């Protein structure tokens, strides 16, 4: 009876593994048989790759600079409204991408809440490269803040108290004690943030559009390539898959160390 139960578990689990593995394997096989390198260096693919790499790097850097102090405050300080703030930060993780894009458009569009104010300074955000960065930050920032918050929260309070007793300022405490101790969590969060920004689609296409050479990232080029150039879509999809596998391998290594 026990052996039957084990085989039932294996059968049910194998169905899910099959559904996960076969599409990915098929994608790699089709990309490899469709002149992968030729399609990858095509002008459309190269432009999308360059925009994705640049915007995701910029958005991740901004998230690290702004999200680290925020995560530190959420992990180490107790204040009124903290639970609500955490809810607000985590919300984009479960928010449908289309809703995120529409929210950004309503807030910062030309006729949005802050659109006229931005226009007085000559700033127009929608359908620009800056809009791509903002959309990526909106959907990826919670992943970094969550990881950093967990890292800071796991640090022994005695280390913090000892540093304060020795006369360390809040900045010195963060720089010399907290950041080194939470370094692994911060790196993991940065990798997750960058990966999410690199693969962002829904919010970007609504807020930044799909303009080749300007706002067309790799996911958007894949979407357009399904109609215009399947080879480019396959090559970029395979490239994103390879990058995702490598980043997941790095994350697994960090978790084991």
């Amino acid at each position: 009876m026990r052996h039957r139960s084990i085989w039932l578990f294996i059968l049910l689990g194998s169905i899910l593994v099959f559904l996960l593995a076969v599409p990915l394997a098929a994608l790699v096989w089709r990309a490899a048989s469709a002149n992968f390198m030729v399609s990858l260096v095509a002008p459309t693919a190269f432009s999308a790759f360059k925009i994705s790499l640049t915007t995701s790097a910029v958005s991740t850097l901004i998230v690290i600079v702004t999200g680290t102090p925020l995560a530190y405050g959420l992990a180490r300080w107790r204040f009124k409204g903290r639970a609500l703030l955490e809810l607000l930060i985590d919300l984009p993780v479960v928010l449908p991408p289309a809703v995120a894009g529409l929210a950004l458009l309503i807030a910062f569009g030309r006729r949005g809440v802050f659109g006229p104010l931005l226009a007085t300074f000559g700033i127009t955000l929608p359908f620009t490269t800056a809009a791509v960065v903002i959309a990526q930050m909106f959907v990826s920032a919670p992943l970094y803040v969550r990881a950093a918050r967990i890292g800071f929260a796991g640090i022994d309070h005695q280390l913090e108290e000892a540093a304060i007793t020795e006369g360390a300022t809040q900045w010195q405490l963060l720089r010399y004690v907290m950041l080194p101790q939470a370094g692994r969590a911060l790196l993991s969060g940065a990798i997750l943030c960058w990966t999410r920004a690199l693969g962002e689609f829904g919010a970007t296409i609504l807020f930044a559009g799909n303009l080749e050479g300007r706002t067309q990232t790799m996911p958007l080029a894949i979407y357009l390539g399904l109609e215009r150039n399947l080879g480019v879509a396959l090559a970029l999809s395979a490239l994103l898959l390879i990058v995702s596998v490598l980043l997941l391998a790095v994350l697994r290594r960090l978790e084991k160390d």
Side-chain angles (χ1 to χ4, degrees):
M1 189 69 179
R2 180 181 178 185
H3 291 294
R4 291 181 181 179
S5 299
I6 292 175
W7 280 110
L8 179 61
F9 279 36
I10 293 175
L11 176 61
L12 294 176
S14 298
I15 293 174
L16 182 56
V17 171
F18 178 84
L19 291 175
L20 294 174
V22 170
L24 298 178
L27 172 63
V28 173
W29 177 76
R30 281 295 302 273
S33 60
N35 296 321
F36 174 76
M37 291 306 302
V38 175
S39 299
L40 197 59
V41 298
T44 300
F46 183 76
S47 174
F49 172 76
K50 182 173 64 174
I51 292 174
S52 286
L53 194 63
T54 302
T55 55
S56 61
V58 171
S59 62
T60 302
L61 180 61
I62 296 175
V63 168
I64 291 173
V65 172
T66 57
T68 302
L70 177 60
Y72 176 77
L74 289 173
R76 312 302 287 190
W77 301 339
R78 297 293 180 268
F79 53 89
K80 188 176 181 180
R82 178 171 171 269
L84 182 61
L85 181 58
E86 289 180 342
L87 176 63
L88 177 64
I89 294 171
D90 291 336
L91 188 58
V93 175
V94 297
L95 198 66
V99 176
L102 183 61
L104 290 171
L105 197 59
I106 291 175
F108 303 113
R110 292 182 179 89
R111 297 182 179 180
V113 177
F114 296 101
L117 177 62
L118 293 173
T120 59
F121 297 97
I123 300 174
T124 301
L125 290 178
F127 310 107
T128 64
T129 306
V132 178
V133 173
I134 293 173
Q136 290 175 347
M137 288 177 57
F138 187 87
V139 300
S140 64
L143 299 177
Y144 176 79
V145 174
R146 174 185 288 270
R149 183 177 62 196
I150 293 173
F152 286 131
I155 299 175
D156 191 345
H157 283 270
Q158 292 183 354
L159 291 175
E160 183 178 3
E161 294 172 359
I164 294 175
T165 302
E166 293 295 328
T169 63
Q170 197 67 44
W171 168 249
Q172 291 173 330
L173 175 65
L174 176 64
R175 181 180 178 185
Y176 295 109
V177 179
M178 309 302 283
L179 290 180
Q181 291 290 322
R184 187 175 300 173
L186 298 181
L187 181 57
S188 297
I191 292 175
L192 288 172
C193 177
W194 184 65
T195 306
R196 181 65 183 87
L198 199 62
E200 163 52 29
F201 174 81
T204 303
I205 197 170
L206 282 175
F207 186 49
N210 192 1
L211 307 176
E212 185 175 342
R214 189 175 181 183
T215 66
Q216 188 178 88
T217 58
M218 285 194 287
L220 299 183
I222 292 170
Y223 175 75
L224 197 63
L226 291 175
E227 298 179 354
R228 299 184 179 180
N229 192 333
L230 183 59
V232 169
L234 288 171
L236 290 176
S237 297
L239 179 60
L240 284 173
L241 176 60
I242 293 170
V243 171
S244 299
V245 170
L246 292 175
L247 291 175
L248 281 175
V250 173
L251 284 174
R252 294 293 182 269
R253 183 62 183 270
L254 289 173
E255 290 174 356
K256 290 181 179 179
D257 292 342

